[in-house]
Amino acid sequence: MNLFTILKRFGGLIALLFVLLPVLVVPSEANGIPFWGFALDGYPITAGRLTALDEQTGLPAQVVVFFLQWPAPGETGPFPAESVEAIWSRGAFPCLTWEPMYYREGREIMVPAEAITGGQYDAYLHAFADSVRRWGRPLLIRFAHEMNLERYHWGTGQEGYGPGSPDLYRRMFRYVADLFRRDGAGNVRWVFCPNAESVPYHSYDPAAAWNSPEAYYPGDDAVDVLGMDGYNWGNTKTKSKDGWESRWQSFREIFAPLYGRLKRIAPGKPVLVFETASVAGGGDRTVWLREAMEAATAWDLRGICWFQAEKEVDWRLELWRDKKGIDVIRRKTSAAQTWNGKWAK
């Protein structure tokens, strides 16, 4: 009997879930066997979308990352039951990227930090926590990801993003995680996930020394899992068109600096890459994938999730053009599935 069969059969027994949760949140004893997953743009995640993903890539996902925004003030927002159940039913762990923002007339509006910590969203948070608790299965929540990018400026308007942002972020994160724990939603594992590169950054803006992953870290008691996001843009970005110029970067070049910082922040916590991808042009994507899996082995990463979307550029892995690279991943994925089985014994 495999891990997911056992979890489904005894899903209502929270004690058993805590026995089995180390599959995801404890560093592995067997070096070099990461989970493989996908981050999917768009909502909801349906069984049909996951079937299409399998057909497109030939890779069964062990983690599926998806995105959900908060409601506007005074409104209610649903628990994403269809999405988490569809993911779980495919034998994968769901990871909710939970974005405290909403849309008004096509514009992104960030939920003010004071609205969260001041209790204005408590009804929404309590209802959500209750739904998670009743669902009863493991759920990763990646709250307000990539907080070290000005593009997100969680808790404020863009003009408010600055030296006070790390403190606001820490307080928001702790408030939400503490509320869930008080409400008995102990099946949630909270993810702290900065971007591989901080923007702005002190190397080109000396006044931006405040914007570091360490400054945002909410604390060991609030965080269960460490995450990283980063992309190889190849030569797709130019100064004349985009304001910056990209170049081909290996997985190690993208992630090594942040990985080292995260391990110094919380050396005992597991690390996953929740969003990554490489363009297909400008270099050899098969080599990029091989080197990514080698780095995952060396660093003992617990997982790598590929952003499977055509957004900004076409990041998608597809069997017809990426067979060699997919074969590299498949060999590692097969080993991970075999090793994970021993947790169910």
Side-chain angles (χ1 to χ4, degrees):
M1 185 181 297
N2 63 33
L3 166 67
F4 296 105
T5 302
I6 289 179
L7 281 177
K8 287 175 183 176
R9 182 170 295 181
F10 300 102
L13 302 178
I14 297 299
L16 182 61
L17 289 175
F18 277 107
V19 171
L20 295 173
L21 273 171
V23 170
L24 196 56
V25 301
V26 174
S28 68
E29 297 172 0
N31 196 40
I33 308 177
F35 289 89
W36 181 260
F38 288 103
L40 301 180
D41 193 33
Y43 177 82
I45 306 302
T46 63
R49 286 190 67 185
L50 296 175
T51 296
L53 178 66
D54 287 349
E55 293 171 351
Q56 185 181 42
T57 67
L59 289 169
Q62 295 163 309
V63 182
V64 175
V65 180
F66 68 102
F67 300 79
L68 181 68
Q69 290 80 44
W70 285 29
E75 298 179 2
T76 59
F79 174 67
E82 178 186 13
S83 296
V84 295
E85 193 60 42
I87 293 166
W88 185 263
S89 296
R90 302 290 294 202
F93 286 97
C95 174
L96 166 62
T97 300
W98 208 18
E99 301 177 310
M101 56 169 277
Y102 56 93
Y103 288 94
R104 178 180 292 159
E105 297 178 352
R107 294 188 304 116
E108 293 179 351
I109 307 294
M110 304 303 171
V111 175
E114 295 79 6
I116 297 173
T117 59
Q120 295 179 39
Y121 274 82
D122 278 7
Y124 170 63
L125 293 173
H126 284 303
F128 206 101
D130 182 63
S131 294
V132 173
R133 180 187 58 78
R134 287 187 287 104
W135 188 62
R137 301 184 176 104
L139 176 64
L140 289 161
I141 294 185
R142 195 168 62 129
F143 173 74
H145 69 311
E146 300 178 10
M147 71 301 298
N148 56 331
L149 291 182
E150 184 182 19
R151 179 259 180 274
Y152 283 116
H153 53 87
W154 301 117
T156 68
Q158 188 165 1
E159 69 285 351
Y161 189 68
S165 294
D167 179 63
L168 288 178
Y169 180 83
R170 293 193 305 268
R171 290 194 282 117
M172 286 190 297
F173 193 111
R174 294 188 64 87
Y175 186 91
V176 174
D178 288 347
L179 184 150
F180 270 59
R181 287 167 177 151
R182 290 195 304 272
D183 283 4
N187 48 318
V188 171
R189 288 298 177 261
W190 294 95
V191 179
F192 172 71
C193 187
N195 192 64
E197 180 183 7
S198 296
V199 179
Y201 192 54
H202 65 80
S203 65
Y204 59 85
D205 181 359
W210 57 269
N211 191 28
S212 69
E214 294 88 341
Y216 293 92
Y217 187 61
D220 287 349
D221 59 332
V223 174
D224 300 299
V225 177
L226 303 173
M228 305 189 290
D229 289 356
Y231 292 82
N232 172 32
W233 292 87
N235 57 6
T236 61
K237 296 293 181 179
T238 64
K239 285 186 178 180
S240 61
K241 184 182 69 172
D242 306 294
W244 65 286
E245 190 166 344
S246 60
R247 61 182 177 83
W248 189 268
Q249 290 182 290
S250 70
F251 184 92
R252 285 179 181 271
E253 189 176 2
I254 294 165
F255 288 110
L258 178 58
Y259 173 76
R261 298 176 85 152
L262 291 178
K263 295 306 288 185
R264 288 191 293 273
I265 292 171
K269 295 190 185 294
V271 182
L272 289 84
V273 171
F274 285 95
E275 287 184 49
T276 195
S278 170
V279 295
D284 191 326
R285 187 151 74 172
T286 296
V287 172
W288 196 94
L289 286 164
R290 182 180 300 114
E291 292 177 347
M293 301 309 290
E294 290 170 354
T297 298
W299 299 344
D300 199 17
L301 294 182
R302 295 298 292 120
I304 297 175
C305 299
W306 186 273
F307 188 58
Q308 185 72 4
E310 187 174 8
K311 186 179 181 180
E312 300 112 355
V313 298
D314 188 355
W315 300 109
R316 295 172 298 174
L317 289 175
E318 296 185 293
L319 276 170
W320 66 269
R321 66 179 175 186
D322 295 298
K323 184 180 185 305
K324 290 182 179 179
I326 287 170
D327 285 344
V328 170
I329 299 165
R330 188 180 288 119
R331 287 193 293 271
K332 282 289 186 180
T333 304
S334 176
Q337 291 171 334
T338 300
W339 175 76
N340 289 339
K342 76 177 187 179
W343 285 91
K345 293 179 181 177

